[in-house]
Amino acid sequence: MSAPKVQLLLTGNELMTGDIVDSNSAMMAQVLKELGLEINRKVTIADDLALLVSEITYMASTSDILIINGGLGPTVDDLTAQALSLAIGEELSQHPQALAHLTLWCQQRGTELNAPNLKQAILPAGCQIIANRSGSAVGFSVRYKECDIYCTPGVPHELKNMLREQIMPAIAEYLPSNLTTDVTRLQVFGLGESSLQKAINEQLPNWPAEIELGFRAGMPLLEIKLTTNTKQGLALKPLWQKKLTKVLGEHLIAEIQGKPKTLAEHLLNQLQQNKVKVTTAESCTGGLIASKLTEISGSSLCFEAGYVTYSNEIKTAMLDVPASLFEQDGAVSEAVVIAMAKGALLKSKADLAIAVSGIAGPNGGSENKPVGTVWLAWGSIDNIKTQCLLLPYNRHQFQQFVAAIGLDLLRRYLLNVEATPNYVIERAFPLQ
């Protein structure tokens, strides 16, 4: 037996005009996911009685569970109860339980139970009340044909309480016994979504349907989700997660447990485990790598010093970069970043360094070194590695990517990964 089909109907002129931002549907999706359920269809419409009746009629005929959010208040534009009564062919009447709730609610606040408030007790005949422990409007539910319909208030905390305390337990009773939801989340860096999907298609062509793959692009980490909703899928997951891990290789940062960690947090953990200290020598990133490390409590155990050497003169004065290198190779060159890294190591007495020099743009590029070019050097005083990349993004995104790559290169170094990474940054991700 498959999972029930869930649809969501949001109502309110404010949602349509943008006066209110819809956060309720995201919250409902997260809560439903805990039961292994996903929203198959979501519709937002204005406070229009004919539209509401039409949409409720259609959605109830095409779903197993319909959650209607909003339209339960005391004003003339709160139309959910009236629309539902027309859609299911039940008369409106005063519900004694809803009236008792309203009476108590008004008494506790010393207010009069007036006619507008009484409107919230006029509900479709035969409906079941969903208690509201903080607001005036009760929720209610009906069974119409083969669909369970839940009507909920638009106030977020009232909705959340109803979902957690009453609606989800009611839904859980009707779920197939073979449903069991398990979600594994993996952090990946340096692979784009399409490149990763291509690799999975080629290397794991028989990926089982019982394990759903999901991708969430972010800056700088890509998140992969492996979701199972059945016992069969749960049994298959360990084997296929192992196969996926092999495909990801050293691009896999970690399996997420609780709150996701940043690249800087992962690096600091490794630095602490290896009992080594790091220093940074930055030009194009303006101290961003050092900032990402030092914003974490306890970083002083592993972070020794950071040097922001923007001009050529300061690179020479602070890090002893030979002035001749700028004439021979230019500031954005392998020779200069090696000298920056060695200079930072000698000055700070740290064990490891990361040095970066690049052209952040939008000006300053040339035919040989276009905007987005960056040289990186990292390692210990007797083992400096280098890489040149072209990251053709705007200035802010360029700096973010360079900083993230610098952190990842040190992470790989501490893991003794010999192969030089082939970073695939396919597009500028939204910043987190």
Side-chain angles (χ1 to χ4, degrees), residues 189 218-221 263 282 284-289 291-292 295 360 376 391 393-408 425 428-432:
F189 179 71
M219 170 61 202
L221 297 172
L263 272 172
E282 303 178 64
C284 59
T285 48
L288 187 58
I289 301 175
S291 176
K292 289 182 179 296
E295 71 181 8
L376 304 99
L391 304 173
Y393 305 116
N394 68 46
R395 188 179 184 88
H396 179 70
Q397 291 168 335
F398 171 85
Q399 290 177 322
Q400 293 289 331
F401 281 128
V402 172
I405 289 169
L407 295 168
D408 187 57
I425 311 291
F429 300 132
L431 301 177
Q432 296 177 334

Side-chain angles (χ1 to χ4, degrees), residues 2-6 28-40 65 168 171-172 175-176 179 181 229:
S2 60
K5 293 181 180 179
V6 182
M28 283 188 274
Q30 291 296 322
V31 174
L32 287 163
K33 190 182 298 181
E34 296 173 11
L35 291 179
L37 301 177
E38 293 186 353
I39 297 172
N40 304 103
I65 297 169
M168 291 301 102
I171 291 174
L175 292 180
L179 283 185
T181 299
N229 292 318

Side-chain angles (χ1 to χ4, degrees), residues 289-339:
I289 301 175
S291 176
K292 289 182 179 296
L293 289 168
T294 57
E295 71 181 8
I296 301 168
S297 176
S299 57
S300 59
L301 296 173
C302 301
F303 184 78
E304 194 68 8
Y307 302 90
V308 180
T309 55
Y310 214 67
S311 71
N312 293 346
E313 292 77 12
I314 294 299
K315 288 181 177 68
T316 299
M318 293 186 67
L319 300 176
D320 296 331
V321 177
S324 60
L325 294 182
F326 303 120
E327 292 292 331
Q328 297 171 11
D329 304 289
V332 181
S333 64
E334 183 178 33
V336 166
V337 290
I338 291 174

Side-chain angles (χ1 to χ4, degrees), residues 168-204:
M168 291 301 102
I171 291 174
E173 291 183 5
Y174 296 96
L175 292 180
S177 59
N178 68 326
L179 283 185
T180 176
T181 299
D182 185 80
V183 180
T184 299
R185 300 159 64 203
L186 306 175
Q187 286 180 313
V188 176
F189 179 71
L191 286 175
E193 290 170 277
S194 65
S195 298
L196 179 54
Q197 185 66 71
K198 182 174 181 290
I200 293 172
N201 291 344
E202 293 174 351
Q203 299 180 48
L204 303 174

Side-chain angles (χ1 to χ4, degrees), residues 131-337:
N132 186 346
R133 58 183 172 88
S134 55
S136 62
V138 296
F140 52 95
S141 64
V142 298
R143 176 78 174 174
Y144 177 62
K145 295 183 178 178
E146 300 299 319
C147 181
D148 289 316
I149 303 175
Y150 299 91
C151 298
T152 59
V155 180
H157 74 271
E158 296 177 17
L159 167 64
K160 188 173 184 179
N161 290 337
M162 286 186 183
L163 284 170
R164 292 285 188 190
E165 298 169 4
Q166 298 171 80
I167 298 175
M168 291 301 102
I171 291 174
E173 291 183 5
Y174 296 96
L175 292 180
S177 59
N178 68 326
L179 283 185
T180 176
T181 299
D182 185 80
V183 180
T184 299
R185 300 159 64 203
L186 306 175
Q187 286 180 313
V188 176
F189 179 71
L191 286 175
E193 290 170 277
S194 65
S195 298
L196 179 54
Q197 185 66 71
K198 182 174 181 290
I200 293 172
N201 291 344
E202 293 174 351
Q203 299 180 48
L204 303 174
N206 298 318
W207 186 270
E210 294 86 352
I211 305 174
E212 179 187 341
L213 269 178
F215 303 89
R216 181 174 179 265
M219 170 61 202
L221 297 172
L222 173 69
E223 183 178 307
I224 305 174
K225 289 194 300 183
L226 286 74
T227 304
T228 60
N229 292 318
T230 64
K231 293 179 180 179
Q232 182 182 3
L234 187 61
L236 290 170
K237 184 186 282 188
L239 172 62
W240 286 91
Q241 183 176 337
K242 185 177 180 180
K243 291 182 178 183
L244 178 61
T245 297
K246 186 175 181 180
V247 173
L248 297 174
E250 299 306 328
H251 290 286
L252 175 62
I253 304 298
E255 180 177 337
I256 299 173
Q257 303 289 346
K259 182 181 178 182
K261 292 182 179 179
T262 65
L263 272 172
E265 287 174 313
H266 287 300
L267 175 58
L268 282 174
N269 288 341
Q270 289 185 340
L271 290 168
Q272 291 175 7
Q273 291 172 15
N274 287 272
K275 297 181 179 180
V276 296
K277 293 190 175 185
V278 69
T279 183
T280 60
E282 303 178 64
S283 182
C284 59
T285 48
L288 187 58
I289 301 175
S291 176
K292 289 182 179 296
L293 289 168
T294 57
E295 71 181 8
I296 301 168
S297 176
S299 57
S300 59
L301 296 173
C302 301
F303 184 78
E304 194 68 8
Y307 302 90
V308 180
T309 55
Y310 214 67
S311 71
N312 293 346
E313 292 77 12
I314 294 299
K315 288 181 177 68
T316 299
M318 293 186 67
L319 300 176
D320 296 331
V321 177
S324 60
L325 294 182
F326 303 120
E327 292 292 331
Q328 297 171 11
D329 304 289
V332 181
S333 64
E334 183 178 33
V336 166
V337 290

